[in-house]
Amino acid sequence: MLANLTLAVMWIGLTCYALFGGADFGAGLWDLLAGRSGPGAPRRALIEHTIGPVWEANHVWLIFVVVLLWAGFSPVFAAVMSTLYIPLTLTALGIIARGAAFAFRKASTELWQKRLFGACFALSSVLTPFFLGTVAGGVASGRIPPGLAAGNLITSWLNPTSLLGGVLAVLTCAHLAAVYLCAETARLGRPELGAWFRTRALVSGLAAGAVALAGIAILHADAPHLFHGLTHRALALVLLSACAGVAALALLRGNPGLARPMAALAVAAILWAWGVAQYPAMLVPGVTVGDAASTHAVLAACLLSLAIGSLVLVPSLWWLYSVFQHEPDAEPSPGDAAH
């Protein structure tokens, strides 16, 4: 019972990271594709204005998931971290480079410096979710055996399912960011920017759907356990994700504010579909939740500490997001984010 509760709490943290951190990563892609310094400046200014106050806070969720995996399911933590250390190291480097570039671009005064740091910020924003997606694909396809570095250090994350996961992660992040930014332009009264982000939201959403459909054949051949779970036990969640995604696209023009939670629901549903499809296995096919779970005392201590910590963390994050969603609607200055 405690093991399943701990796993559910960890999956909630993973969902929060996908919805908040994922949108920030996607914003980096649109920063890259916003155009030259003249026409692209207002778009980059909006992106910086939107993610600037909260983007560092989003990595709290990733730390939360990693620490809970380490404390609650240490054999899985050891196997994943030792076999997949290459993409995980690249992910960590991407997060560090992204943060440094974002800060340095803000402090730069020369256009060439802004362009250099902007390119680093954007490239890191694309590569980081890609490598995270390859990690998810390696776990989901059963390429992580128990033990220290027991799996292949290359094919564990360079395989069809992992590449599918990486591409889907990038497209999903891009779609979330475009939908969120479209809603933000409506809130700020910037329809000229809203049209640009709405087009990108439609394109990225349709691309993600097309890749997901093409991925059915890949999962059938490369990850049969996951394919079976998604088409049987987790089918309702898969259909919910598809319906929510279509609804988000339909709402983009008339009601972008409502499109945002629908897009978030689509992403959350597919994440939980993966969890339900793979359950009770944590390392496919043989290591179950019960096999990997820590002792009752450790799990109880983890859950108790999380309950106490959430009394501070959740209201703080809610206040942070709320403050910047209800700030005065001052237009971002294009000159502040010239690329």
Side-chain angles (χ1 to χ4, degrees), residues 7-81:
L7 179 62
V9 171
M10 188 177 74
W11 218 257
I12 290 172
L14 182 63
T15 304
C16 289
Y17 188 61
L19 296 181
F20 297 113
D24 283 351
F25 287 131
L29 173 62
W30 300 128
D31 186 280
L32 176 67
L33 302 177
R36 297 181 64 84
S37 52
R43 299 161 190 159
R44 292 189 178 92
L46 177 69
I47 292 170
E48 187 172 297
H49 170 81
T50 303
I51 73 173
V54 298
W55 71 289
E56 284 283 24
N58 292 325
H59 293 305
V60 167
W61 299 112
L62 179 60
I63 297 168
F64 170 84
V65 171
V66 171
V67 171
L68 197 55
L69 180 64
W70 167 69
F73 306 97
S74 53
V76 175
F77 175 88
V80 170
M81 293 296 170

Side-chain angles (χ1 to χ4, degrees), residues 107 126 142 253 312 316 331:
V126 173
R253 179 174 293 277
V312 176
S316 299
E331 289 190 1

Side-chain angles (χ1 to χ4, degrees), residues 80-305:
V80 170
M81 293 296 170
S82 59
T83 295
L84 294 172
Y85 76 85
I86 295 176
L88 288 170
T89 300
L90 293 173
T91 296
L93 292 175
I95 291 173
I96 294 168
R98 182 177 184 270
F102 187 77
F104 288 147
R105 185 177 72 170
K106 183 69 174 177
S108 297
T109 56
E110 299 293 331
L111 182 58
W112 71 268
Q113 294 174 331
K114 290 180 178 291
R115 285 176 170 168
L116 174 63
F117 291 126
C120 182
F121 166 68
L123 185 61
S124 300
S125 296
V126 173
L127 292 179
T128 302
F130 175 80
F131 287 123
L132 284 172
T134 63
V135 169
V139 174
S141 60
R143 288 181 165 88
I144 315 300
L148 291 176
N152 189 289
L153 298 181
I154 303 300
T155 60
S156 59
W157 62 280
L158 282 179
N159 57 76
T161 301
S162 288
L163 294 177
L164 173 66
V167 173
L168 273 177
V170 172
L171 290 174
T172 299
C173 291
H175 178 62
L176 279 177
V179 173
Y180 289 7
L181 287 165
C182 191
E184 188 69 6
T185 60
R187 187 181 74 84
L188 294 173
R190 303 293 300 276
E192 74 283 2
L193 294 178
W196 192 88
F197 285 111
R198 182 168 56 251
T199 301
R200 273 69 191 168
L202 288 169
V203 171
S204 59
L206 292 173
V211 171
L213 286 175
I216 293 174
I218 294 176
L219 294 182
H220 184 269
D222 193 58
H225 185 277
L226 177 63
F227 175 83
H228 182 270
L230 289 174
T231 53
H232 290 78
R233 180 189 300 171
L235 182 59
L237 286 170
V238 173
L239 294 176
L240 174 62
S241 176
C243 291
V246 171
L249 295 178
L251 289 165
L252 278 173
R253 179 174 293 277
N255 195 339
L258 186 56
R260 180 160 49 183
M262 295 306 295
L265 176 61
V267 175
I270 202 64
L271 266 179
W272 283 81
W274 168 30
V276 170
Q278 188 169 312
Y279 183 84
M282 292 195 73
L283 295 178
V284 179
V287 181
T288 65
V289 175
D291 296 332
S294 298
T295 63
H296 185 279
V298 171
L299 295 177
C302 287
L303 292 173
L304 178 61
S305 63

